Amino acid sequence: MSRIKVKKFGPIKSGFDTNDGYIDIKKTTVFIGENGSGKSSIAKLISIFTWLEKSIIRDGIFSNKINKEGFYTLCQQQDIEEYFTNETEIYFEGDLFKFAYKNKTFSVEKLRECENYKVPKIQYFSSARNLLTILATLKTVQINLKSREISIDDLGIPFMVKVLTQEYSDALNSPLTKEGFALPIRDSKLFFDKGRVFIETENKKISMACSCSGLQSVAPLLLVSSYLSDYVKKDFFKRNEINSGIESGIKKANLESEFERYINAKMLTGDARNSNLTSTEIEKIENILKKFVSSRFVSIVEEPEQNLFPSSQRSLLNKLLEFNNEICENSLIISTHSPYIVGYLSLAVKAHEANLEFAKNGETEKQKKLARIVPQESHISVEDVAVYECYADGSLRELEKSHGMLCDAHFLDRELGEINDRFSEIFELEDM
């Protein structure tokens, strides 16, 4: 389990005041709070450090070559480079490495060996993802969606949206859109045909650009999530992917001819032992592949609720949890303003607890009824969840858990209580 500690960074002042300041990153981690309270800042830092760790393992960069200038550059790509102060402290403990920024100095420490490390496919879903609809109306980006040969750098598009555009292009061209990709708003479906994105609702097709804002927000989020979730589950040889990192690693190890025999044997028979390679040669090749083949999905989502009615927020969250549950090493990180997201997450936790009890008692009919309330694929254990509330004063606290439930999870109740209090104040004024 990874964890992060942040102090004096942008809107985050004192940070988390328990666990020595460390925030534990669980399978599902949610940051909720007001605007400008630091939710997205922490999520962005998590994505940066997770990528750095992955890059070290892949030998794309070396730990002793990572300096503060490189770290600043990564923060600049995420638009948080102006948040540093003279007192900023940031620590991140990943699966294998510990990163530390203090006194304007950046350091990396190896924690353990990487024998069981699973390379992540990391996707940051920026709240600016609606820009993809606008981009798709531009000729240069339409060409990019088809051939990916046209750069969009000169359009001034945020870096994380550019990255998402590449995955969105691949997802649109995948089999997911051929029969229509289901979206959680009015039984809509997404289609991609001849370089254009269409939405079908009530047997009528309209272009994505003419669809509602909720569909423009949720479509790239769900489509890319589904695509990447499927991608990391596929066997390497079904991906038809030999990237430059693999080629470089094989060449560095002087295994070019051996790798060709290895690939042919795997493709033809499914067994590398039919390649006439020694066990040592096979082991060397597979160790290289492990470094460059993503086998888990790290999804980091800003404002999943964006432009969505509460019931659509519930459907969206259930799908994100379903993708997250497909591989035990997957992880989902959310920054949100919406109390509904936390409420529906609590519902998924409660459904998990109830399902375990029904299964123990052999109550299959209750399990079926429960699955209609919360799909079983979206159930999640309370031990795999952490929810942190970010405050305007720059502090954070974790929501407590009791009897297998998130306590104080329904922020909406607090807001409704505030509304009722203000109604009472108005009534009192009228009676004066």
Side-chain angles (χ1 to χ4, degrees):
M1 178 177 63
S2 300
R3 61 181 194 158
I4 189 168
K5 177 179 180 179
V6 185
K7 287 187 176 182
K8 307 291 184 180
F9 182 76
I12 304 166
K13 308 306 180 193
S14 60
F16 195 47
D17 60 2
T18 59
N19 197 29
D20 192 29
Y22 277 97
I23 296 167
D24 290 330
I25 304 168
K26 299 291 187 72
K27 184 171 180 61
T28 300
T29 306
V30 176
F31 298 98
I32 185 168
E34 300 178 21
N35 297 85
S37 58
K39 307 177 301 298
S40 294
S41 300
I42 298 176
K44 289 175 178 179
L45 286 171
I46 292 171
S47 72
I48 288 171
F49 287 117
T50 306
W51 180 86
L52 274 174
E53 184 169 63
K54 169 182 173 178
S55 297
I56 293 173
I57 296 302
R58 285 186 161 187
D59 294 327
I61 55 177
F62 297 94
S63 59
N64 62 350
K65 297 294 184 181
I66 304 173
N67 53 30
K68 67 177 181 181
E69 286 73 23
F71 180 50
Y72 288 158
T73 298
L74 293 173
C75 290
Q76 185 178 28
Q77 292 175 346
Q78 291 273 25
D79 297 318
I80 54 175
E81 77 279 8
E82 297 180 7
Y83 289 175
F84 289 91
T85 71
N86 292 333
E87 299 176 295
T88 294
E89 293 184 32
I90 306 172
Y91 305 90
F92 180 87
E93 293 184 8
D95 293 320
L96 307 173
F97 292 89
K98 179 178 181 178
F99 303 88
Y101 178 93
K102 185 178 181 181
N103 298 327
K104 296 186 176 181
T105 301
F106 190 82
S107 62
V108 184
E109 174 189 350
K110 189 170 185 178
L111 297 176
R112 56 190 68 90
E113 294 301 322
C114 61
E115 294 178 1
N116 298 316
Y117 178 74
K118 288 198 170 186
V119 176
K121 186 72 174 178
I122 308 161
Q123 182 61 59
Y124 193 96
F125 292 94
S126 167
S127 58
R129 55 188 174 271
N130 291 54
L131 281 173
L132 290 176
T133 300
I134 300 172
L135 294 176
T137 65
L138 302 174
K139 183 178 180 181
T140 54
V141 180
Q142 281 188 326
I143 296 173
N144 184 283
L145 288 174
K146 293 178 182 178
S147 65
R148 303 178 68 186
E149 294 177 356
I150 303 297
S151 171
I152 60 173
D153 290 351
D154 59 344
L155 299 178
I157 306 302
F159 176 80
M160 297 313 296
V161 177
K162 296 176 188 177
V163 175
L164 180 57
T165 299
Q166 295 172 359
E167 300 294 355
Y168 189 44
S169 172
D170 288 342
L172 287 172
N173 284 286
S174 74
L176 288 172
T177 62
K178 303 308 177 187
E179 301 297 326
F181 181 78
L183 297 171
I185 298 178
R186 298 178 61 191
D187 296 322
S188 301
K189 289 185 177 182
L190 180 151
F191 293 85
F192 182 64
D193 184 41
K194 298 179 181 178
R196 298 190 65 188
V197 183
F198 296 91
I199 296 294
E200 182 181 272
T201 304
E202 298 174 350
N203 296 320
K204 295 180 181 178
K205 280 188 179 182
I206 60 172
S207 67
M208 175 65 85
C210 294
S211 66
C212 67
S213 59
L215 283 170
Q216 293 182 31
S217 173
V218 78
L221 170 55
L222 269 188
L223 181 64
V224 173
S225 293
S226 181
Y227 172 74
L228 293 180
S229 180
D230 288 342
Y231 178 86
V232 297
K233 289 187 298 181
K234 286 182 180 178
D235 181 85
F236 166 72
F237 298 95
K238 294 181 180 179
R239 298 182 191 180
N240 193 27
E241 176 196 31
I242 299 178
N243 57 42
S244 59
I246 295 174
E247 291 177 345
S248 177
I250 293 296
K251 185 175 181 180
K252 185 177 179 181
N254 295 316
L255 292 168
E256 291 98 326
S257 61
E258 289 83 356
F259 184 59
E260 184 176 350
R261 287 155 56 194
Y262 176 90
I263 290 292
N264 289 335
K266 290 287 286 187
M267 294 294 288
L268 293 173
T269 69
D271 192 340
R273 290 172 296 182
N274 294 325
S275 61
N276 294 323
L277 295 174
T278 67
S279 59
T280 300
E281 290 171 332
I282 292 174
E283 183 179 2
K284 286 181 179 179
I285 290 172
E286 293 184 344
N287 283 338
I288 293 171
L289 290 178
K290 284 180 183 178
K291 289 184 178 182
F292 293 94
V293 178
S294 300
S295 56
R296 62 186 174 104
F297 180 32
V298 177
S299 176
I300 305 173
V301 185
E302 276 189 341
E303 302 176 28
E305 73 276 8
Q306 190 170 253
N307 304 324
L308 295 180
F309 193 71
S311 59
S312 295
Q313 293 182 38
R314 182 187 69 239
S315 299
L316 170 61
L317 179 65
N318 284 341
K319 290 301 294 183
L320 293 176
L321 291 173
E322 177 185 331
F323 299 143
N324 195 35
N325 285 336
E326 288 182 344
I327 298 176
C328 64
E329 292 86 3
N330 283 357
S331 59
L332 172 65
I333 298 159
I334 292 173
S335 64
T336 180
H337 304 112
S338 174
Y340 295 107
I341 292 293
V342 179
Y344 295 139
L345 179 60
S346 186
L347 192 64
V349 169
K350 179 59 180 176
H352 173 78
E353 297 294 325
N355 189 61
L356 289 178
E357 186 65 24
F358 297 155
K360 180 181 177 181
N361 297 330
E363 298 173 298
T364 55
E365 285 303 313
K366 286 187 177 181
Q367 285 183 287
K368 291 178 182 178
K369 292 179 180 179
L370 178 64
R372 288 194 287 270
I373 301 171
V374 180
Q376 188 169 348
E377 297 81 7
S378 305
H379 296 180
I380 185 166
S381 167
V382 71
E383 287 80 16
D384 289 332
V385 175
V387 179
Y388 299 93
E389 187 170 9
C390 303
Y391 292 93
D393 64 1
S395 63
L396 295 89
R397 76 174 179 92
E398 183 179 5
L399 264 64
E400 296 179 359
K401 302 170 184 176
S402 178
H403 304 294
M405 284 291 293
L406 299 170
C407 295
D408 195 26
H410 298 284
F411 295 90
L412 181 60
D413 291 343
R414 284 154 41 185
E415 292 301 316
L416 289 175
E418 178 73 15
I419 293 171
N420 290 333
D421 289 343
R422 292 181 185 270
F423 265 115
S424 297
E425 291 175 8
I426 294 173
F427 292 145
E428 288 175 5
L429 286 172
E430 290 180 330
D431 292 338
M432 287 177 66

